[in-house]
């Protein structure tokens, strides 16, 4: 089964045209800067000052000469860049599929979504903290004021994760992702309400297939539960709010030191863990531990196998988000939109195969319409930003 899931993810990744993996603006350039700009700097830096001046002022023959000198290294670099981006996308898909499967298996065994969500969030600390302590990655330096700025974003980050975990536990993985495809609808609403941002009509029109598709899928979903629907929508609202708050509080503002995209995600992970622990104890108490022992005593798991399952859920959760920053930072917004759409399709297909989840014809049609709508939304948004 693991081989089947892996092959599905790789096949979907390969199906994204290699020519799409070209240098472009980063989808997370608010935090990490423009990827497009960074791609042009190595070529310029390879020219000595006099050559650079000649190329920029004279053009013609001089420019052609410079181009021929740089052409071979540039083409080799482009191949390496394409392969690297392809690997990032493959890992992004594989870790994401792994997380959804490990997470669902853990939730099927133990109905403690808040505790499992906390464990998954805390697992990330075991990854980035050693990197900071050993100096492999520069540790961020944040003041109390910086932490106050990030706290509302961390709250939303917590809601994104908890909502998704509860949804995955309450219903099918495929249904949770169908509902999560409606996030653009919430994003547009919050942008209008909180930022006063009115988007072009074509963008709003793309929301119609999303709303219609999710509605059809929900009505025809064989494993439908209101808890799964409400939790997935909580994740959507939290994700949209996180984006809006990031724009309002962080746009054009320097937050601390060494706070690049990966470190920002690490800080949010640490803050969300601190937020989750008291919430977990208040809602579920310590019932997780007797349940853990009960499963082991019943012979369903060993201590090692159950602990490994929980650890893999946390590790793949952090890993897919970490790799996502690397993957999406190397492609243009259109490739990002296509890749994200394919990813959701692959996760749904992989989960249906892994858990033998039945899907009605109506659910398949509805989910297809909704996911296609999210692609149209992303493309329309990208077009509107270019105007």
């Amino acid at each position: 089964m693991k081989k089947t899931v892996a092959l599905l993810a790789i096949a979907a990744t390969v199906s994204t045209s290699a020519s799409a993996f070209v240098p472009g603006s980063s989808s997370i350039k608010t935090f990490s800067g423009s990827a497009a700009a960074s791609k042009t700097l190595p070529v310029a830096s390879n020219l000595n000052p006099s050559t650079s001046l000649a190329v920029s002022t004279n053009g013609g023959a001089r420019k052609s000469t410079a181009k021929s000198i740089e052409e071979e290294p540039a083409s080799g670099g482009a191949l390496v860049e394409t392969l690297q981006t392809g690997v990032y996308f493959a890992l992004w898909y594989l870790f994401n599929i792994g997380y959804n499967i490990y997470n669902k298996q853990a939730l099927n065994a133990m109905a403690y979504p808040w505790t499992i969500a906390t464990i998954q969030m805390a697992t990330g600390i075991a990854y980035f903290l050693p990197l900071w302590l050993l100096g492999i990655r520069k540790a961020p330096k944040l003041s109390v004021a910086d932490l106050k700025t990030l706290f509302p974003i961390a709250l939303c980050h917590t809601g994104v994760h908890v909502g998704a975990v509860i949804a995955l536990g309450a219903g099918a993985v495929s249904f949770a992702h169908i509902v999560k495809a409606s996030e653009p609808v919430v994003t547009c609403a919050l942008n209008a309400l909180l930022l006063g941002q009115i988007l072009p009509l074509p963008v709003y029109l793309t929301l119609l297939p999303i709303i219609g598709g999710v509605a059809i899928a929900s009505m025809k979903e064989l494993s439908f539960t209101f808890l799964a629907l409400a939790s997935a929508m909580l994740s959507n609202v939290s994700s949209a709010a996180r984006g809006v708050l990031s724009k309002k509080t962080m746009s054009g503002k320097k937050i601390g030191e060494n706070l690049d995209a990966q470190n920002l995600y690490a800080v949010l992970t640490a803050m969300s863990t601190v937020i989750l622990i008291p919430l977990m104890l208040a809602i579920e108490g310590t019932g997780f531990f007797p349940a853990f022992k009960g499963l082991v005593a019943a012979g369903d798991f060993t201590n090692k196998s159950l602990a490994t399952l929980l650890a893999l859920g946390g590790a793949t959760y952090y890993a897919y988000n970490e790799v996502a920053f690397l993957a999406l930072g190397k492609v243009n917004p259109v490739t990002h939109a296509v890749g994200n759409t394919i990813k959701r399709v692959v996760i749904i297909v992989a989960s249906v195969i892994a858990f033998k989840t039945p899907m009605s014809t109506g659910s398949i049609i509805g989910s297809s319409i909704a996911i296609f709508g999210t692609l149209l939304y992303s493309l329309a948004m990208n077009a509107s930003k270019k105007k």
Side-chain angles (χ1 to χ4, degrees), residues 72-210:
E72 187 175 347
S75 62
L79 177 60
V80 172
E81 187 79 12
T82 299
L83 292 173
Q84 186 181 52
T85 306
V87 170
Y88 285 156
F89 265 74
L91 290 175
W92 178 35
Y93 283 23
L94 289 172
F95 285 141
N96 210 319
I97 292 169
Y99 164 68
N100 279 274
I101 291 176
Y102 293 135
N103 190 22
K104 183 61 175 175
Q105 288 175 338
L107 290 165
N108 284 346
M110 308 177 73
Y112 289 88
W114 285 86
T115 304
I116 290 174
T118 304
I119 292 171
Q120 291 171 350
M121 191 68 76
T123 302
I125 298 174
Y127 169 76
F128 61 76
L129 190 59
L131 296 181
W132 290 347
L133 294 177
L134 296 174
I136 298 173
R137 177 184 293 179
K138 289 184 178 180
K141 298 177 182 179
L142 301 169
S143 65
V144 174
D146 293 330
L147 293 175
K148 287 181 179 178
T149 299
L150 293 174
F151 183 72
I153 302 172
L155 276 177
C156 294
H157 185 63
T158 304
V160 172
H161 184 52
V162 168
V165 171
I166 295 174
L168 289 170
V173 174
S174 54
F175 179 65
H177 281 278
I178 292 168
V179 177
K180 282 182 66 62
S182 65
E183 183 182 325
V185 179
V186 183
T187 300
C188 286
L190 290 185
N191 278 342
L193 290 173
L194 301 180
L195 298 179
Q197 182 183 32
I198 304 301
L199 299 169
L201 181 60
V203 175
Y204 290 121
L205 290 177
T206 63
L207 301 181
L208 296 178
I210 298 176

Side-chain angles (χ1 to χ4, degrees), residues 51 54-70:
T51 307
V55 168
S56 62
T57 56
N58 297 333
R62 284 286 185 92
K63 188 171 182 179
S64 300
T65 303
K67 183 178 178 182
S68 64
I69 294 172
E70 292 298 323

